[in-house]
Amino acid sequence: MSRSAFLRPSRPLLRRERGALSLFALIALTQGWTGAAITHVLPFVQDDYALTDAEVFDLMTIIRITSLLAIAFSWWGDHRGRRVPLLIAFTLLPAATLLSAVTSGAGLLTATQAAARVGTIAISGLALVVLAEEVGSEVRGYAVGIYALVGAMGTGLGLLLRPLGAGSPDGWRVLFALSALPLLAVPILIRKLRESRAFTPPPSRPPLTSVLRGSHALRFWPLAGLSFAVSAFTSPAANLALVRLENDLGWSAAGASLLLAATSAPGVILGVLSGGRLADLWGRRPTEALSLVIGVGGGFAFYLVDGGWLMAAGIFVSNLGAFAFGPAFAAHRAELFPAEVRATAVAWIVNAAILGGIAGFAAGRFVVDSWGISGTVAALGTVVLAATWLIAPLPETRGLTLEGGETGSSLAMPA
């Protein structure tokens, strides 16, 4: 199989699938650009407000604790439909980011970015569920990979704009204001976004905790544990990369942004396309395991080596692994639960990731002064490697058909 053939979907996308993917590309771009705004301005905010490394950990921890509230959006989506809560979450993200541009003091900035984070996490719990429900099983991993790729392009756009925030002590406000531009897309989504074809109002309302016990628990807890461990490493690693480059190693804002953008882009593109394709060809489980090992290895290289070329290679490899893992895991978690609890289950798994990020920042907060940012993040990477065994008990779902109303005991697998 040629390289170009490998990176193409297993079959051409249907017209409705292309339409859905185009619309969700707009959502992904916003999630990637606006959702990462706090990461992009963090070194500037640290300097402007004279925050210590420990205070940066505190700020990011508070934002993540607040974002646990986003599960309400997915519970609403399972009971009343996905469309309205997704629209509200999309609007909340850039609106709260716009407010961040005019705040005074770290406290108000934390509050507005906590609200923005609720919108980001609500989108994570709903958008990929709807996209998975709208495309066929043969191209689901590929479609989720395209979603991740466009999201990464949004993050890259934010990186390229970062030098605009370096011109003055409060130039970071300009970056927040620019990343709120997706508010202009709200009327388009209101007009174009339709309810998921797989959603049917449930005859009864399963409780919010239904996926935590009973037959669902055997699938939920390994996924939640894996999500927790991955985020305990990736949240600090991703959010503190610019802090390490600029505040620890003395790079300029332009140089740090260029390094991340130039070395991340090829890893992201290759990761999401190959990860989604491998998930459709090999299966979700082997793709997840291989991707985690690659991603952690790249993270170690970036945080434990000071040489420019080796750090660049580490960024490339870490993004390759992280973005190959994303499509496989997103498809896997959506496929393992029936329609009536799917969004809620995914939201709980996203919340496990939030708790993992909180745990990573909280643990780091107590050791960063003695270990440094690099040592702290590297130590968290070992948690991910130890957690890969959680993939083993999960059933493989490659080729699974998602239909409204299916139950966990009657998921349609290919013959």
Side-chain angles (χ1 to χ4, degrees):
M1 181 184 296
S2 68
R3 182 181 303 175
S4 60
F6 172 76
L7 295 178
R8 290 198 297 266
S10 300
R11 61 162 173 79
L13 271 67
L14 303 177
R15 181 178 179 182
R16 63 170 176 79
E17 293 173 330
R18 292 196 303 270
L21 192 54
S22 299
L23 193 61
F24 278 86
L26 177 59
I27 297 174
L29 184 70
T30 301
Q31 187 178 12
W33 179 20
T34 312
I38 182 61
T39 301
H40 296 156
V41 307
L42 195 56
F44 303 142
V45 170
Q46 184 177 20
D47 289 341
D48 194 17
Y49 291 145
L51 302 177
T52 66
D53 285 345
E55 288 171 331
V56 169
F57 272 79
D58 290 341
L59 182 150
M60 299 303 291
T61 300
I62 293 171
I63 289 174
R64 277 160 172 73
I65 290 173
T66 306
S67 64
L68 292 169
L69 299 173
I71 194 171
F73 285 80
S74 291
W75 186 79
W76 182 5
D78 274 339
H79 290 78
R80 297 289 187 178
R82 328 292 201 201
R83 179 179 180 272
V84 173
L86 182 54
L87 287 172
I88 293 175
F90 180 90
T91 305
L92 176 61
L93 173 56
T97 300
L98 183 60
L99 289 177
S100 297
V102 296
T103 55
S104 58
L108 289 176
L109 176 64
T110 301
T112 54
Q113 277 303 293
R117 187 70 180 176
V118 170
T120 302
I121 299 303
I123 292 172
S124 297
L126 285 167
L128 288 174
V129 165
V130 179
L131 181 60
E133 292 174 339
E134 290 294 297
V135 299
S137 60
E138 310 95 325
V139 295
R140 188 171 296 128
Y142 181 85
V144 172
I146 294 296
Y147 181 97
L149 175 60
V150 177
M153 291 171 60
T155 303
L157 174 61
L159 277 173
L160 293 176
L161 293 173
R162 281 195 77 244
L164 296 176
S168 63
D170 61 352
W172 51 269
R173 299 179 187 276
V174 175
L175 299 179
F176 272 139
L178 288 174
S179 62
L181 285 175
L183 271 174
L184 301 175
V186 171
I188 297 174
L189 287 180
I190 292 175
R191 186 168 62 253
K192 298 288 188 179
L193 186 64
R194 298 290 181 264
E195 186 55 74
S196 168
R197 296 181 310 123
F199 175 76
T200 55
S204 61
R205 297 183 179 182
L208 186 61
T209 58
S210 61
V211 299
L212 308 184
R213 58 185 187 272
S215 60
H216 299 309
L218 295 176
R219 296 169 175 183
F220 171 79
W221 288 110
L223 287 169
L226 186 62
S227 185
F228 179 96
V230 169
S231 188
F233 168 66
T234 58
S235 291
N239 282 276
L240 298 175
L242 288 168
V243 173
R244 165 166 161 73
L245 287 171
E246 295 176 27
N247 294 357
D248 286 0
L249 301 180
W251 288 53
S252 67
S257 300
L258 180 61
L259 175 69
L260 286 184
T263 54
S264 296
V268 169
I269 294 171
L270 183 59
V272 294
L273 294 181
S274 62
R277 189 74 171 98
L278 286 174
D280 289 335
L281 287 175
W282 286 2
R284 304 350 182 179
R285 296 165 71 245
T287 304
E288 289 165 355
L290 177 62
S291 300
L292 289 179
V293 173
I294 292 173
V296 172
F300 285 168
F302 174 76
Y303 275 96
L304 297 179
V305 177
D306 291 345
W309 287 107
L310 290 175
M311 292 175 66
I315 296 170
F316 168 79
V317 173
S318 64
N319 278 284
L320 175 65
F323 282 89
F325 174 79
F329 188 68
H332 205 187
R333 70 190 185 187
E335 292 163 343
L336 283 172
F337 299 95
E340 62 267 20
V341 296
R342 185 173 296 135
T344 302
V346 168
W348 275 115
I349 294 167
V350 170
N351 269 9
I354 296 170
L355 290 173
I358 292 170
F361 277 109
R365 192 252 184 268
F366 292 103
V367 300
V368 68
D369 289 336
S370 56
W371 292 5
I373 288 177
S374 295
T376 301
V377 174
L380 292 170
T382 62
V383 177
V384 180
L385 297 178
T388 55
W389 67 270
L390 291 171
I391 298 171
L394 294 171
E396 179 57 61
T397 58
R398 181 174 63 90
L400 182 70
T401 300
L402 299 184
E403 300 293 345
E406 65 192 7
T407 64
S409 60
S410 61
L411 296 176
M413 295 298 291

